[in-house]
Amino acid sequence: MSYIGDVAKKIKTFTSFKDYSIEDFRRYSDKKENICDCEKIAIELLNDEIKSYVIQDFLEIMEDSTFKKGSKFIIGNKLFKEFNRNKKFKNLKKTQFKSLIDVSINKIDKYDDNIKDYENFRLFFETIGDFMSEIGKITIKIDKLGCFSDYDEEDFAKFGGDADIITQELNKDSIKISQLRKFFAAVKDIELKLKESNNNDNNCNNNDNNCNDGNNNSMQKEVWDSKAKAKFYLLMPNLAYARSRDLIKDDSFYKLLKTSMNKVINGNDDTIVDDFKKFALFLTSIVAFYKANNPKSN
């Protein structure tokens, strides 16, 4: 049985690629019977000893081959020329992957206004690559959270949990421990400043609201103030710069941090402080496990 062939047949039934529900191909589940289409494909490719970087190379060639004409995305012949010529795709060609590409492109090429089709198409192949690494799987898991504070500490902090798994997949060349600590220190500094700011606000409120009911020491709800928000946003270009300079060499780890930070800032006002605090705990676990799993890192 070929999952790749089965998914290609499924795509054939769609009118266009945007008909393919993201929930069907990019769903995280820890139950084997409920895994999504892209994870099934990833498992089959890994069983055929195809590495995740091969899919990443394919995505880069696909991007180079794609151009926009008016409101239409067109995937040029360069994609198939490279796919057929390049030796790195030798093992991939033995699978039904080329058939999957053919069917998928057919579902976006026939329409003039195909932006949504192309977005789904690209996300579909990106997701296959994500599911071929443990870090990629955890990134998808985080992306599917309602908000970051929904991320259970038990899931990431225990031995064999997500932080442990992430740092086992990384090696000392993936990211310099000094760079990881620098990023971690910046996050902890925001956390400290946020705590100080909220403590000051609570003290002011208590002094301004002296009352006789004995409740003047009650704590107010913590607020994500403008300074904390600005500092957190400024971490994003720094992260992108570190990736561009190869200070973070592992693209999947960069995507993990980027997805996590986006999940914090895209949450609602009621949970954003809790979301940030949970992100800080997650990062604390990663730093601790990274040193334990990479003792020779420096």
Side-chain angles (χ1 to χ4, degrees), residues 156-168 177 180 282-295 297:
F156 64 74
K158 67 182 180 182
F159 288 112
D162 292 346
D164 194 3
I165 291 168
I166 288 164
T167 54
Q168 285 178 38
I177 187 64
L180 185 57
F282 177 54
L283 195 60
T284 301
S285 301
I286 289 174
V287 171
F289 274 117
Y290 182 86
K291 192 60 181 175
N293 288 326
N294 297 275
S297 61

Side-chain angles (χ1 to χ4, degrees), residues 56-94:
Q56 186 59 43
D57 289 341
F58 166 77
L59 285 167
E60 287 175 7
I61 292 170
M62 184 176 79
E63 193 164 295
D64 288 343
S65 180
T66 303
F67 58 95
K68 194 175 179 185
K69 190 175 181 181
S71 59
K72 181 173 184 177
F73 280 97
I74 299 170
I75 299 174
N77 292 330
K78 180 183 176 183
L79 177 66
F80 286 110
K81 285 180 181 177
E82 284 293 317
F83 188 80
N84 292 322
R85 180 188 66 82
N86 204 314
K87 290 181 180 178
K88 70 176 71 172
F89 300 126
K90 180 181 176 182
N91 290 334
L92 196 57
K93 284 186 280 190
K94 293 176 184 176

